[in-house]
Amino acid sequence: EADIYQTPRYLVIGTGKKITLECSQTMGHDKMYWYQQDPGMELHLIHYSYGVNSTEKGDLSSESTVSRIRTEHFPLTLESARPSHTSQYLCASSESGQAPEQYFGPGTRLTVT
Amino acid sequence: GEDVEQSLFLSVREGDSSVINCTYTDSSSTYLYWYKQEPGAGLQLLTYIFSNMDMKQDQRLTVLLNKKDKHLSLRIADTQTGDSAIYFCAESLLNSGYALNFGKGTSLLVTP
């Protein structure tokens, strides 16, 4: 069973607010990922990290930023939320190298009004 | 990434077998995956197959891989109503830290 947590699970905020979505894992995994799942259920990679102090942008252009100061923590920040940011955000982690198992958190469902 | 293709809907009767098909794009993908997503939940890893394998069986699940045609399938034997969910096919991306490139998902409905 995967030990990866996301908070909050649900969030409704107004346009222009700054928000941070939290993701933590207790498995000691080096690699972590953020995916955005749009209302049509498509999943897109927006950020990933190979380890502490490593952050990379994914395929989908995103106005969000991430940080990786600790192995277990990979928060995602939106400086100024817009309605187009309304989505489910899924965090995942995996071990180093070509480790096949990638475990997902329960997701944060964000609605921007 | 480029498109991973899946059919969008599948409906089967309880007790029948379900087969969900997928075509992927990256011939260098090391692993190919099937994930399950129930309403309001995250993604559950069902199974994965290494790219040099043709088949993998895990209880009611059978994965078939045709590397030449870049075709992946998931067979669920004795499908139950609890199997109703969205199933995502995914390939690993070598150039993105082995992040996953997902298909759009197949919505499986199992009727009594």
Side-chain angles (χ1 to χ4, degrees):
Chain A
E1 187 173 323
D3 294 318
I4 181 164
Y5 309 98
Q6 290 186 243
T7 57
R9 291 293 314 278
Y10 303 93
L11 181 62
V12 180
I13 59 167
T15 297
K17 299 290 186 186
K18 176 181 178 178
I19 57 165
T20 295
L21 308 185
E22 302 288 348
C23 176
S24 295
Q25 49 93 9
T26 58
M27 298 169 284
H29 287 170
D30 285 325
K31 291 188 289 184
M32 296 188 74
Y33 311 85
W34 277 103
Y35 296 87
Q36 183 175 341
Q37 186 171 32
D38 62 31
M41 305 307 280
E42 284 194 59
L43 286 143
H44 302 281
L45 176 70
I46 51 174
H47 296 282
Y48 61 102
S49 167
Y50 289 104
V52 171
N53 294 325
S54 156
T55 61
E56 305 285 345
K57 286 190 179 292
D59 297 331
L60 182 68
S61 174
S62 173
E63 293 158 343
S64 57
T65 58
V66 291
S67 62
R68 191 85 184 277
I69 298 171
R70 303 199 315 265
T71 297
E72 62 271 22
H73 196 215
F74 192 39
L76 180 145
T77 298
L78 278 167
E79 290 292 333
S80 180
R82 297 207 304 246
S84 60
H85 295 138
T86 294
S87 279
Q88 170 147 262
Y89 291 83
L90 293 164
C91 180
S93 72
S94 67
E95 293 180 5
S96 304
Q98 295 185 31
E101 289 97 346
Q102 191 169 128
Y103 297 105
F104 282 77
T108 293
R109 188 168 296 280
L110 173 65
T111 302
V112 183
T113 60
Chain B
E2 296 178 48
D3 288 345
V4 174
E5 301 284 348
Q6 297 179 240
S7 52
L8 293 182
F9 299 102
L10 177 65
S11 180
V12 299
R13 288 192 178 275
E14 192 174 18
D16 288 349
S17 292
S18 309
V19 179
I20 303 172
N21 293 300
C22 168
T23 54
Y24 61 98
T25 60
D26 189 348
S27 57
S28 65
S29 291
T30 308
Y31 292 96
L32 296 138
Y33 301 80
W34 286 102
Y35 280 84
K36 176 183 180 182
Q37 187 175 35
E38 297 185 71
L43 293 171
Q44 176 193 352
L45 176 62
L46 282 179
T47 187
Y48 61 89
I49 186 167
F50 190 47
S51 58
N52 69 353
M53 296 171 64
D54 298 324
M55 186 184 86
K56 180 178 180 180
Q57 187 157 359
D58 184 0
Q59 299 182 337
R60 291 191 299 124
L61 305 178
T62 302
V63 178
L64 295 178
L65 175 60
N66 181 329
K67 198 171 180 180
K68 174 176 168 289
D69 295 336
K70 296 182 190 168
H71 183 264
L72 184 73
S73 68
L74 174 70
R75 178 177 181 269
I76 306 173
D78 187 25
T79 314
Q80 303 297 307
T81 55
D83 294 325
S84 292
I86 300 177
Y87 290 80
F88 290 92
C89 167
E91 59 182 354
S92 57
L93 298 174
L94 174 64
N95 295 327
S96 300
Y98 297 97
L100 300 179
N101 184 30
F102 288 90
K104 292 181 173 62
T106 298
S107 182
L108 174 65
L109 175 65
V110 183
T111 56

